[in-house]
Amino acid sequence: MPAALTVTANARTDPGAVRVVNGDSLATREPTGPLDRAERGAIWAIADGVGLRARGLQASRLAARTVVDSYWTSAIPDPATRLRAAVEHTNAILYAQNPADADAAGPTNAAGATILAGIVVDDRLIAANAGRSRVYLLRDGALRQLTQDHTWVAEQLRLGALTPEEAANHPRRNVITRCLGIRETVDVDVVEQPLAPGDLVLFCSDGLYRDVDEARIAELLRAHGAAAAPSLIEEARARGGQDNVTAVTIAVDGEPTRPEAVVDRIALLNRLGRELTASLDLDATLQSALRQVLAISGGDHAAILLRDERGELVTRASQGSRDFGLLVQHSTSVVEQALRECRPVLVPNALEDPSFGAALSIVGRSLRAIACVPMIVNQEPIGAVYVDSSRRAVEFEQLDLDLLVSIGAQIGGAIQNATLHRDLLARTADLEAARRRQDALLRSLSSALVAVDDRGVITDWNPTAAEVLGVPASTAVGTLLAHLAPSGLAAWLGGLVAMVQVGAPTVISGPEWEGAIGGRPRVVLAGRAARIRDAHGEVGGVVLILDDRTDIVLMEEARRRETAERDRLRELFSRYVAPPVVEQLLRSPDALALGGSRCDVTVLFADVRGFTGFSESHRPEEVVALLNSYLELATSEIFKQLGMLDKFLGDGVMAIFGAPLTLPDHELAAVRAALSMRERIAELRRETGTRAGFGIGLNSGSAIVGNIGTPQVMSYTAIGDVVNVTARLQAEARAGEILISESTLERIRGTVEVEELGPLYVKGRAAPIATYKLLRLSGEPAAIGSRT
């Protein structure tokens, strides 16, 4: 067993000559006994805050203290691995305390700390570094930096992108690239350095080497040794002390004393027992145990053999001493005897032992001392601990065997614990996977899910519930349902819970709730409730499933309003236009707004001639009935040609062709409607014996067509000179005559036969207009009625 070197340390931290508050933090812990010295050594940690001043100082103090505490209480057997794990654990704690948006860019509201942690254990120095604090080693008068700085400038120097002169005053010289707390994981440098008597070690923050050059540091270390820390700090202050400064100086001494063999073995056995008890990693446990076996026994090779699932013995772990390397082959005959007889086997000199001397493994490797102890768990041998040596100077004694028996029992228990831990981890992984599936299911639900216990306390609150009800799960869980929501909503939710608690069916649906939630003035919720039952059918609590029906209700209401408006418009316009025109208006509701547009149309005016005499000689009922039949006849023919009935004018009508429904041949459509009206009225005269007939005027041209009036009362009509001219033509037409303007004739010339009449003066016009009497469409029989 190597003897541990002794160390003397001196540690100081100071705010410097300029700053009032010290942002550096220093934490230390030294062993209190030989076991701590052998297992953990001494540890020092220097942390420097990063971020806003108050939060950076807090992170600095937490980092230094947590690294030391985590290292000292860890059950990891290897010191270097234990130190790295302590730094990574500290990073996780600092990262969890930062806001959720903390990232590699280092937001202004995040805080972290650089870290330098070092231990001296046995004859080794082990340092873990993330930041720009440094470890120096002074050996034989020469100073050497053991760690690398994690700064942007240092990385550029290592890459050769900057020269030392450029780096000295570079604007990014203070930008660090690694520290604790900013990222979820941290890359930690771990360096190991064997120590020798006379070595001097310096741990320091950047506040020292930024103001004091390395030559002066080496000079002060040589002059003051372990007591150099105060002198180094004073030197930094004297040179300006722009930053906080921390220094730990460690002197390594020789002439160690070795404890007695028995005390040494008992201490190692105690250490092994505590490691085996604390460790649940089977492979790490076995390797650590073998190192202790070799240390206790002084053997060359050691192995742990375990039975596999088929009961066959396999080598699970093996270790070799520094001089002999890994074990190649163990003595099968010795192991088989120990397992067969379930007792330890000690062979002081195997080559001379008649029971084993002829074994190939013993002869081939010239094995001398062999010890093998079975590991018994629940009265069954599960494997064996084996150690041997081929050196003449090594002889295993009964004391070695007794200690090996104790080790075997401890290893057997540790293996059982590790196996149980492995099974527990597997079951835990299964449970965690099930929990993740359940969480994913709850997150993917489009419905809000709220669970309460029998006291009304919320136990589950999925993300949809947080979105719909405007309360995060962190606030909701653990709160009484009655206290969380607005009074109206809380009463409705409480009613759902009460309905299912009083013996209602397994799942009940309640009435919808409507009201305001947060910034939403109107929310409509539908709810279902069910009792929560465990695997044994026991009832405990209620689960509520809430569906946000707000958008659906609003769409249904908008659809009903739209349908009602369409029905109203259909009913209104079906009285004035043909069904195809109505449907087009419904497809373009903007056309029904107030205002108009210029359209090319043909206007038709028709008035009943000779109706005055009929009305004087007949009862009012007969007069109205005849007038209605005339107007119905006119309306029917106008609709057949897709014209729009503008209005009734006493015993006359006005119609528009070409608006609102665009007609490519609206002139011919108006002509056909006029001719059909004349023909139908002639038939009516023959049936009733009346002398009344239509006088019709037609004119084509540009007009302003649209809704005229107010939003409450409006009329779709045409305005313009074309309307005035048409009215004048109709006024001149006799019963049975259809008068058209030259404008209309020019558009349909060749398709109709006309008779030219004299000029016609129109009010508001200085020049007369040419007037024509429409006879028939080309190729049709002679029209009824003539002008004399």
Side-chain angles (χ1 to χ4, degrees):
M1 169 186 169
L5 297 169
T6 59
V7 297
T8 304
N10 197 322
R12 292 288 187 277
T13 184
D14 190 85
V18 175
R19 298 188 179 180
V20 176
V21 178
N22 190 354
D24 286 357
S25 293
L26 172 66
T28 68
R29 186 159 181 175
E30 300 206 22
T32 58
L35 290 180
D36 281 345
R37 183 176 296 107
E39 293 177 0
R40 291 177 175 80
I43 180 171
W44 299 266
I46 300 173
D48 188 1
V50 175
L52 294 176
R53 184 165 299 175
R55 298 198 63 210
L57 178 60
Q58 180 184 10
S60 168
R61 292 173 177 173
L62 179 61
R65 185 176 65 253
T66 303
V67 167
V68 171
D69 291 345
S70 297
Y71 171 81
W72 206 263
T73 58
S74 173
I76 299 175
D78 179 62
T81 305
R82 185 160 67 239
L83 182 61
R84 181 190 295 274
V87 174
E88 292 173 345
H89 173 67
T90 304
N91 178 74
I93 292 177
L94 266 63
Y95 181 78
Q97 293 188 352
N98 274 323
D101 63 348
D103 55 17
T108 57
N109 60 343
T114 64
I115 190 69
L116 172 64
I119 59 173
V120 174
V121 58
D122 292 333
D123 58 349
R124 291 180 297 163
L125 164 67
I126 304 172
N129 180 44
R132 56 185 176 187
S133 294
R134 292 180 179 178
V135 178
Y136 289 100
L137 174 66
L138 182 68
R139 175 176 288 176
D140 298 329
L143 187 69
R144 179 163 57 97
Q145 181 180 337
L146 301 183
T147 56
Q148 289 186 342
D149 296 343
H150 300 139
T151 64
W152 184 88
V153 166
E155 291 178 357
Q156 297 303 305
L157 278 171
R158 289 193 287 271
L159 293 172
L162 290 177
T163 65
E165 292 76 16
E166 292 172 332
N169 296 307
H170 196 280
R172 300 189 68 184
R173 63 185 180 276
N174 292 325
V175 176
I176 61 174
T177 56
R178 293 191 206 173
C179 68
L180 305 184
I182 301 301
R183 294 192 179 101
E184 188 172 4
T185 59
V186 62
D187 188 9
V188 183
D189 286 350
V190 176
V191 297
E192 295 193 33
Q193 172 67 43
L195 296 176
D199 286 345
L200 278 171
V201 177
L202 169 65
F203 297 164
C204 67
S205 64
D206 60 323
L208 177 62
Y209 64 79
R210 285 169 61 181
D211 290 324
V212 183
D213 58 68
E214 292 185 355
R216 181 58 175 161
I217 290 175
E219 181 181 347
L220 291 172
L221 287 174
R222 286 192 293 268
H224 300 281
S231 300
L232 290 168
I233 290 177
E234 288 303 319
E235 184 73 15
R237 291 177 62 91
R239 296 192 179 211
Q242 298 295 315
D243 198 0
N244 313 134
V245 57
T246 301
V248 178
T249 49
I250 305 167
V252 181
D253 298 324
E255 303 297 334
T257 57
R258 176 181 174 84
E260 293 295 329
V262 174
V263 175
D264 203 10
R265 295 185 181 191
I266 292 176
L268 290 173
L269 185 60
N270 286 336
R271 180 198 306 175
L272 174 61
R274 283 186 281 120
E275 286 185 2
L276 293 176
T277 301
S279 176
L280 294 175
D281 185 329
L282 183 57
D283 291 330
T285 298
L286 299 184
Q287 293 296 339
S288 176
L290 289 180
R291 284 195 297 270
Q292 305 303 334
V293 167
L294 291 175
I296 292 173
S297 65
D300 300 332
H301 304 94
I304 294 177
L305 303 103
L306 297 176
R307 295 195 185 278
D308 60 15
E309 296 177 351
R310 297 173 297 177
E312 297 180 2
L313 202 62
V314 296
T315 302
R316 180 60 186 270
S318 61
Q319 283 275 335
S321 68
R322 294 182 181 179
D323 298 329
F324 290 86
L326 288 176
L327 175 69
V328 178
Q329 183 181 6
H330 59 270
S331 174
T332 305
S333 55
V334 173
V335 174
E336 288 178 348
Q337 178 179 329
L339 292 176
R340 182 175 61 254
E341 298 177 0
C342 290
R343 65 176 183 84
V345 175
L346 175 64
V347 183
N349 192 335
L351 289 175
E352 298 177 2
D353 192 314
S355 301
F356 305 106
L360 292 178
S361 60
I362 293 175
V363 174
R365 294 182 52 232
S366 300
L367 294 181
R368 293 184 176 275
I370 302 174
C372 183
V373 173
M375 294 183 292
I376 310 297
V377 174
N378 296 330
Q379 308 301 318
E380 291 292 331
I382 64 169
V385 180
Y386 172 92
V387 61
D388 66 25
S389 176
S390 58
R391 289 178 292 173
R392 290 180 177 272
V394 176
E395 291 186 4
F396 297 151
E397 302 174 351
Q398 186 61 41
L399 177 60
D400 297 307
L401 191 62
D402 292 341
L403 291 175
L404 204 60
V405 169
S406 299
I407 292 173
Q410 291 178 337
I411 293 176
I415 290 173
Q416 186 179 32
N417 288 341
T419 302
L420 292 175
H421 177 64
R422 182 188 59 199
D423 296 342
L424 178 60
L425 286 179
R427 289 195 296 271
T428 302
D430 291 341
L431 291 174
E432 180 62 21
R435 186 190 64 78
R436 287 196 298 268
R437 288 193 297 270
Q438 180 180 1
D439 289 346
L441 177 62
L442 293 179
R443 285 193 300 270
S444 63
L445 283 177
S446 60
S447 300
L449 185 144
V450 178
V452 297
D453 60 19
D454 289 332
R455 299 172 299 158
V457 176
I458 298 170
T459 57
D460 283 288
W461 187 271
N462 75 339
T464 306
E467 179 181 351
V468 171
L469 301 177
V471 179
S474 58
T475 301
V477 174
T479 305
L480 281 171
L481 182 63
H483 294 169
L484 187 69
S487 57
L489 178 58
W492 178 69
L493 295 173
L496 289 175
V497 173
M499 289 173 65
V500 78
Q501 284 178 333
V502 295
T506 304
V507 180
I508 61 100
S509 297
E512 289 187 350
W513 176 86
E514 182 173 333
I517 298 179
R520 302 172 65 190
R522 185 185 181 194
V523 178
V524 181
L525 299 178
R528 290 167 289 162
R531 295 289 279 168
I532 300 175
R533 299 180 183 276
D534 61 18
H536 304 290
E538 296 294 328
V539 176
V542 174
V543 62
L544 303 174
I545 300 175
L546 312 178
D547 295 310
D548 189 346
R549 288 181 40 80
T550 308
D551 292 340
I552 296 174
V553 169
L554 292 177
M555 286 190 294
E556 289 176 348
E557 291 177 352
R559 189 180 297 111
R560 286 196 296 269
R561 287 194 300 269
E562 181 182 355
T563 301
E565 181 65 13
R566 291 174 66 89
D567 291 343
R568 185 186 69 82
L569 294 175
R570 182 179 285 107
E571 180 182 0
L572 177 64
F573 278 88
S574 62
R575 304 174 185 177
Y576 304 105
V577 294
V581 181
V582 174
E583 294 307 318
Q584 176 168 312
L585 291 174
L586 295 177
R587 288 194 296 270
S588 303
D590 292 342
L592 304 178
L594 284 174
S597 60
R598 187 169 294 278
C599 301
D600 188 66
V601 297
T602 297
V603 181
L604 179 150
F605 274 84
D607 190 68
V608 181
R609 302 286 190 260
F611 190 71
T612 304
F614 178 83
S615 61
E616 292 176 352
S617 59
H618 290 77
R619 291 180 297 120
E621 294 83 357
E622 294 175 329
V623 173
V624 172
L626 181 63
L627 179 59
N628 286 343
S629 64
Y630 278 20
L631 296 179
E632 182 181 358
L633 179 152
T635 301
S636 174
E637 297 308 321
I638 291 169
F639 283 3
K640 286 180 181 178
Q641 299 302 324
L642 301 182
M644 192 199 88
L645 181 63
D646 185 295
K647 61 178 70 70
F648 291 116
L649 303 169
D651 54 0
V653 297
M654 173 183 172
I656 304 171
F657 293 84
L661 181 66
T662 302
L663 294 176
D665 298 319
H666 53 80
E667 305 87 353
L668 279 177
V671 166
R672 292 191 183 96
L675 290 173
S676 296
M677 289 167 58
R678 186 174 68 181
E679 181 180 345
R680 291 281 306 281
I681 202 78
E683 294 174 357
L684 187 60
R685 289 173 61 182
R686 289 192 294 272
E687 293 174 0
T688 61
T690 63
R691 297 180 57 82
F694 276 123
I696 301 173
L698 294 176
N699 185 30
S700 302
S702 178
I704 302 298
V705 182
N707 287 308
I708 308 299
T710 68
Q712 292 76 25
V713 179
M714 66 176 68
S715 174
Y716 192 88
T717 188
I719 299 174
D721 184 63
V722 65
V723 179
N724 297 332
V725 171
T726 308
R728 186 72 178 90
L729 290 172
Q730 176 267 326
E732 290 295 320
R734 301 174 182 176
E737 285 187 342
I738 304 172
L739 302 187
I740 67 174
S741 66
E742 187 174 16
S743 173
T744 301
L745 179 61
E746 287 300 322
R747 300 175 183 222
I748 59 175
R749 189 180 297 278
T751 63
V752 297
E753 296 178 13
V754 298
E755 176 185 333
E756 184 176 358
L757 303 179
L760 179 66
Y761 287 90
V762 178
K763 183 178 180 180
R765 283 193 172 206
I769 62 171
T771 308
Y772 302 87
K773 181 171 70 174
L774 178 64
L775 301 179
R776 67 187 68 84
L777 293 173
S778 298
E780 290 188 352
I784 299 174
S786 61
R787 177 178 287 267
T788 59

